[in-house]
Amino acid sequence: MPEARGLPTFAPRGTPAEVEHGLAFQPRFDADGLIPAIVTDLASGEVLMFAWMNAEAVALTVETRIAHFWSRSRRKLWKKGEESGNLMHVAEARTDCDQDVLWLRVSVGGDGVACHTGARSCFYRALPLGQPPTAETVMIEK
Amino acid sequence: MPEARGLPTFAPRGTPAEVEHGLAFQPRFDADGLIPAIVTDLASGEVLMFAWMNAEAVALTVETRIAHFWSRSRRKLWKKGEESGNLMHVAEARTDCDQDVLWLRVSVGGDGVACHTGARSCFYRALPLGQPPTAETVMIEK
């Protein structure tokens, strides 16, 4: 019997050696059914954003090559850029040694903005290094 | 009275506008007291690893410019590379719009290996795109 759309199945988790060295995709989702996803710009390598995916978002992203996430605040599937036109076109999707993180290399469509603030990347502030951060720390605009 | 070492204080969370647009460092830690950290290679831009930090790890990383994390499996502070010699020298530490993720740009010391498997990066496998992932998916070595 075909499975209902939206309930993708992946290979079950194997031994640590299988997870680390095998080529079977055996992702681990956390207690909330989510896996973290790092998104970088294909051209510049810059980290654009960080978000979470449920199994359906992973499956849709891999199949359609358009990044989908799970919005924890709205508690719904989130096709990033659906309203703004800044869809994220996925050139590569990797997983890590433990298969509990994904890394997407993307080209952002539309005007190339990834952050809801209007910035290209969500990571537009840096911490001053070499001193312990305190309640008075002032960050540096990038 | 000076605070005990290992209990750093950061600015309290402000309004959404302050968190997103202000320059005060107001990090959000999750229910376990942790914040996710993305680590990329300063030279290549490649994502090397993903790990978690508690407040102490954040403070030590920012102050010493050597990446520290919180090992969830060992439940202890983790000075990455302390045993292998592959310390991560932090050139830049950014936070995102919501201030609930950190991005470290690092140079890896020693033999330049970031992953406990011996790989330079933990992300050494990619998913085949354009088809839904299944239990039979075979990944691609990078």
Side-chain angles (χ1 to χ4, degrees):
Chain A
M1 194 170 72
E3 289 184 300
R5 180 78 192 183
L7 294 170
T9 44
F10 307 114
R13 295 281 287 183
T15 64
E18 287 168 348
V19 167
E20 290 184 355
H21 301 293
L23 293 178
F25 183 50
Q26 302 175 336
R28 180 167 65 200
F29 296 88
D30 69 12
D32 296 321
L34 302 177
I35 188 168
I38 300 160
V39 181
T40 66
D41 185 87
L42 180 64
S44 70
E46 187 175 28
V47 178
L48 297 176
M49 63 177 285
F50 172 86
W52 296 83
M53 292 180 165
N54 64 356
E56 186 183 6
V58 172
L60 284 169
T61 298
V62 169
E63 181 177 0
T64 68
R65 296 188 174 93
I66 300 291
H68 293 68
F69 303 98
W70 175 257
S71 170
R72 295 189 300 173
S73 54
R74 288 176 287 156
R75 304 193 61 75
K76 58 182 283 197
L77 189 74
W78 169 33
K79 184 178 180 180
K80 170 75 180 168
E82 191 170 28
E83 293 173 18
S84 67
N86 300 332
L87 295 174
M88 291 182 156
H89 300 270
V90 177
E92 191 173 74
R94 298 195 189 191
T95 192
D96 74 332
C97 47
D98 297 327
Q99 297 202 38
D100 58 3
V101 183
L102 296 177
W103 168 23
L104 307 181
R105 297 172 67 204
V106 309
S107 300
V108 182
D111 58 8
V113 163
C115 184
H116 76 284
T117 63
R120 277 189 57 82
S121 159
C122 295
F123 293 84
Y124 45 80
R125 290 166 299 187
L127 284 157
L129 301 176
Q131 53 199 292
T134 69
E136 283 74 45
T137 291
V138 177
M139 294 191 286
I140 304 147
E141 289 184 86
K142 304 304 289 189
Chain B
M1 193 170 71
E3 289 183 300
R5 180 77 192 182
L7 294 171
T9 43
F10 307 114
R13 296 282 284 184
T15 64
E18 286 168 348
V19 167
E20 289 184 357
H21 301 293
L23 292 177
F25 182 50
Q26 303 175 335
R28 180 167 67 201
F29 295 88
D30 70 12
D32 296 320
L34 302 177
I35 189 168
I38 300 160
V39 181
T40 66
D41 186 85
L42 180 64
S44 70
E46 186 176 30
V47 179
L48 296 175
M49 63 178 284
F50 172 87
W52 296 83
M53 292 181 164
N54 64 358
E56 185 183 7
V58 172
L60 284 168
T61 298
V62 170
E63 180 176 2
T64 68
R65 296 188 174 91
I66 300 292
H68 292 70
F69 303 98
W70 174 258
S71 170
R72 295 189 299 174
S73 55
R74 288 175 287 156
R75 303 194 60 75
K76 59 182 283 197
L77 189 75
W78 168 33
K79 184 178 180 180
K80 171 75 181 167
E82 191 170 29
E83 293 173 16
S84 66
N86 299 333
L87 294 174
M88 292 181 156
H89 301 270
V90 178
E92 192 173 74
R94 298 195 191 191
T95 192
D96 74 334
C97 49
D98 297 327
Q99 298 201 38
D100 59 2
V101 183
L102 297 176
W103 168 24
L104 307 181
R105 297 172 68 203
V106 309
S107 300
V108 182
D111 58 9
V113 163
C115 184
H116 76 285
T117 63
R120 276 188 57 83
S121 159
C122 295
F123 293 84
Y124 46 81
R125 290 166 300 188
L127 284 157
L129 300 176
Q131 53 198 293
T134 69
E136 282 73 47
T137 291
V138 177
M139 293 190 286
I140 304 147
E141 290 184 85
K142 305 304 289 189

